[in-house]
Amino acid sequence: TPAATGLGSQAPELPGWTHVYSGKVRDLYIPDTAADAASAEQLLMVASDRISAYDWVLDSEIPDKGRVLTGLSLWWFDQLSDVIGNHVISSDVPQAVAGRGLIVKNLSMLPIECVARGYLTGSGMADYKATGSVCGIQLPAGLIEADRLEPAIFTPATKAELGDHDENVSFDQVAETIGADQAGTIRDLTIEIYQRAEEIARKRGIILADTKFEFGTLSDGTIVLGDEVLTPDSSRFWDASSYESGQPQASFDKQFVRDWLTGESGWDKSSDIPPPALPAEVVEKTRARYIEAFEKLTGQKFPA
Ligand code: ATP
Ligand code: MG
């Protein structure tokens, strides 16, 4: 086995497109005809099968994960189209990335991870335990793990460099970064979209505990949704039938990966050593969970 890098697979070469950026999961391309990324009007955004955990990109891939993320995002963009516009132009992409790629408008991305939380867990819970509030929003005393928050709250974070944690920030810090008007707009949009999506998911037996949106602006200043939306990677989905507050809920997607990495694998998550490759069984169970999320939410069979 090659040495682990914690960087995952490389972006494929695609005819007509120049690779310009890779994040943890997605690879971005500009048309060969564009001079540079800043002036390109369109991008090809490809969701790979890479998976990250504990801020590492794993060496193992989850087959079909990229198609699940892209298919689910497209479905949600459509469900939300009367609330907010989005960056999608077309899904007519090179054959090598069929189903995983989208041609999108090149947005000027707002440098904020727009998180909505309808339930208290994760970094929100950690913040609450330490301060009684989350991102500066005071909450009632005595809340327990996985309690519902009503109404849902806007808990923004700033985007970290590859390998770093995103950092929770207050609304005032967002306003300082992008201006009070735009900060207010994305806060209200984040909550409105969350509420709409939470209702849709609940009818299908899934609790949308929290989720992250990324907004960007078109050349005329209109704010639209970019990136991916309401996928297992950007959201916490819980099984509504087994939900019980006061305890950690099994996450819909990466639970097998996290359990194996922190248990049987012997890997130390506090070390700076990249995590080991996943056993085939963990890969297969994780793949099945992603597909289950797609099928439960959309009510459609995942295309083979
Ligand atoms: P993570 O979101 O997991 O923290 P990341 O930021 O490293 O990871 P990916 O999601 O793998 O990134 O890659 C997608 C990148 O493309 C992100 O930087 C995202 O902000 C950017 N992006 C998404 N949609 C657009 C768009 N329409 N125009 C310009 N950039 C976009
Ligand atoms: Mg991202």
Side-chain angles (χ1 to χ4, degrees):
T1 18
T5 58
L7 292 172
S9 64
Q10 297 301 301
E13 274 190 41
L14 299 172
W17 296 91
T18 305
H19 173 246
V20 287
Y21 175 80
S22 289
K24 287 197 281 289
V25 171
R26 267 160 286 280
D27 302 315
L28 299 184
Y29 299 77
I30 58 171
D32 284 345
T33 50
D36 52 37
S39 60
E41 280 182 26
Q42 305 188 351
L43 299 176
L44 171 58
M45 185 177 81
V46 177
S48 72
D49 290 339
R50 298 192 289 271
I51 185 166
S52 66
Y54 303 110
D55 291 323
W56 289 97
V57 179
L58 306 187
D59 282 337
S60 308
E61 302 208 319
I62 307 299
D64 292 322
K65 177 174 176 281
R67 285 201 301 131
V68 168
L69 298 183
T70 300
L72 203 48
S73 291
L74 274 175
W75 184 81
W76 279 115
F77 281 135
D78 196 41
Q79 300 293 307
L80 298 167
S81 61
D82 58 332
V83 181
I84 176 99
N86 63 68
H87 63 163
V88 178
I89 297 172
S90 121
S91 41
D92 185 10
V93 296
Q95 183 55 38
V97 294
R100 305 194 279 127
L102 289 176
I103 295 173
V104 300
K105 295 171 190 163
N106 187 9
L107 304 176
S108 173
M109 299 304 288
L110 300 177
I112 308 290
E113 308 265 329
C114 292
V115 178
R117 295 174 192 270
Y119 291 77
L120 187 59
T121 188
S123 71
M125 188 50 159
D127 197 356
Y128 174 72
K129 277 187 181 154
T131 67
S133 55
V134 183
C135 293
I137 301 167
Q138 191 73 41
L139 294 176
L143 294 176
I144 58 174
E145 172 66 32
D147 260 345
R148 185 161 189 184
L149 301 172
E150 268 204 285
I153 55 175
F154 176 60
T155 61
T158 51
K159 252 175 118 72
E161 296 296 315
L162 212 59
D164 267 346
H165 286 295
D166 293 343
E167 195 194 337
N168 284 352
V169 294
S170 67
F171 178 78
D172 289 345
Q173 284 168 284
V174 176
E176 267 168 42
T177 312
I178 61 171
D181 276 5
Q182 217 163 38
T185 304
I186 60 172
R187 175 194 57 202
D188 296 350
L189 281 171
T190 298
I191 297 298
E192 188 183 353
I193 301 166
Y194 170 83
Q195 283 169 341
R196 171 71 70 96
E198 191 271 337
E199 261 170 50
I200 294 172
R202 184 152 32 90
K203 286 186 196 136
R204 290 159 194 225
I206 289 181
I207 292 177
L208 176 61
D210 53 39
T211 194
K212 179 207 74 176
F213 303 116
E214 290 186 31
F215 296 98
T217 55
L218 302 173
S219 47
D220 70 357
T222 311
I223 294 177
V224 299
L225 273 174
D227 211 53
E228 64 174 351
V229 280
L230 297 153
T231 69
D233 277 11
S234 64
S235 320
R236 277 194 179 86
F237 294 140
W238 294 339
D239 193 336
S241 64
S242 62
Y243 168 77
E244 206 181 321
S245 68
Q247 62 188 43
Q249 315 294 303
S251 93
F252 221 86
D253 51 326
K254 294 183 186 171
Q255 200 63 43
F256 300 114
V257 173
R258 295 203 182 104
D259 289 351
W260 183 78
L261 282 177
T262 55
E264 226 180 307
S265 79
W267 176 68
D268 174 6
K269 82 173 156 93
S270 63
S271 74
D272 53 13
I273 300 165
L278 303 173
E281 195 204 345
V282 175
V283 169
E284 191 38 55
K285 281 177 158 172
T286 303
R287 174 176 177 272
R289 282 302 252 176
Y290 273 86
I291 291 175
E292 192 187 349
F294 176 95
E295 294 189 338
K296 270 193 123 169
L297 284 165
T298 65
Q300 297 164 14
K301 185 107 191 77
F302 181 68

